[in-house]
Amino acid sequence: YQPTVVETTDQRDHLDGQPRMLDLSERELRLGEEIIGNIEDDGMLSCTLQEVASGVNGFLEEVKAVALERAEGLEGPEHTRYVEEMEELFRAYSLEEVEQMLLRVQLFDPAGVAARDLRECILLQMRSHNLDGTLAHQIVLEHFDDLINHRWSDIAKSMGIGPRQVQDAADEISRLDPKPGLKYASEQEQY
């Protein structure tokens, strides 16, 4: 007999709890949840920020319509105040608001989560490990295509350094996790 896991925490559960630890408004929480809902199991953002904004704004329009229907039974200043509150509460998100919230979500654990591509994922992890300004960081910023294609001599020539230094920096980069969300992936049951 094998012990069966009763309850596990997957990546979504791990990420869902983190916005609640921050001092966020209801509006910011809603947007954070939308972004988290669009993160794949590997930790990468699965859509564009425009698609995130469209998704959450579509939801807001549906809820706003229901909320405004409830206002029909109210009269006078109470009706006006309620409608104004609903208009503010269900105001559409701008792309800038989505970008700002993405930056906050990208600070969550695990490092590198909610990145839009591999380069951004590595840069986020480097920031969390205080590797900004290092040779490895500079290589990722300026020579990422050469790095992933193992063109050490091209990088060395371009930067005016030795191939061994590039190799050492590449080794440092290789210790980072290209798919940070998988550490929270639920394991398949083995029979």
Side-chain angles (χ1 to χ4, degrees):
Y1 291 98
Q2 293 283 331
T4 303
V5 176
V6 177
E7 185 178 342
T8 60
T9 302
D10 65 1
Q11 175 186 264
R12 178 92 9 106
D13 294 333
H14 182 71
L15 290 173
D16 279 342
Q18 294 182 58
R20 298 193 187 328
M21 290 187 247
L22 301 174
D23 185 25
L24 299 176
S25 68
E26 171 103 17
R27 183 173 167 75
E28 292 170 320
L29 276 173
R30 187 182 313 124
L31 183 55
E33 289 169 355
E34 181 71 20
I35 292 172
I36 289 170
N38 284 293
I39 295 175
E40 295 288 336
D41 288 342
D42 63 2
M44 304 297 266
L45 190 63
S46 66
C47 61
T48 65
L49 296 184
Q50 186 62 45
E51 291 169 326
V52 170
S54 296
V56 73
N57 287 336
F59 167 75
L60 286 179
E61 283 299 316
E62 292 173 17
V63 175
K64 181 179 173 182
V66 172
L68 291 176
E69 280 179 24
R70 292 183 181 167
E72 290 176 10
L74 303 173
E75 295 179 12
E78 190 175 316
H79 177 269
T80 306
R81 190 188 56 190
Y82 181 81
V83 169
E84 287 173 357
E85 286 176 9
M86 291 303 106
E87 291 291 339
E88 176 57 28
L89 185 62
F90 298 114
R91 180 174 39 92
Y93 290 96
S94 69
L95 194 53
E96 291 153 5
E97 287 177 293
V98 177
E99 288 173 3
Q100 290 301 312
M101 183 51 67
L102 176 66
L103 293 175
R104 290 177 113 168
V105 171
Q106 288 177 335
L107 295 173
F108 290 176
D109 179 63
V113 74
R116 292 167 277 193
D117 58 31
L118 177 60
R119 180 176 178 264
E120 185 176 40
C121 179
I122 290 172
L123 288 171
L124 289 168
Q125 290 179 59
M126 292 181 107
R127 182 186 324 142
S128 96
H129 291 53
N130 296 320
L131 297 174
D132 290 346
T134 63
L135 176 62
H137 186 258
Q138 186 178 359
I139 289 172
V140 172
L141 279 175
E142 299 172 8
H143 304 280
F144 190 69
D145 289 335
D146 289 334
L147 175 69
I148 60 174
N149 290 308
H150 302 276
R151 294 190 288 248
W152 311 143
S153 59
D154 291 349
I155 296 170
K157 185 184 287 182
S158 174
M159 297 182 77
I161 58 175
R164 182 69 197 158
Q165 290 174 291
V166 175
Q167 179 64 53
D168 291 343
D171 291 343
E172 187 176 349
I173 294 166
S174 71
R175 288 190 282 274
L176 301 173
D177 190 354
K179 297 181 180 187
L182 291 182
K183 67 176 78 170
Y184 295 100
S186 56
E187 295 180 28
Q188 298 294 325
E189 294 214 16
Q190 301 291 326
Y191 293 100

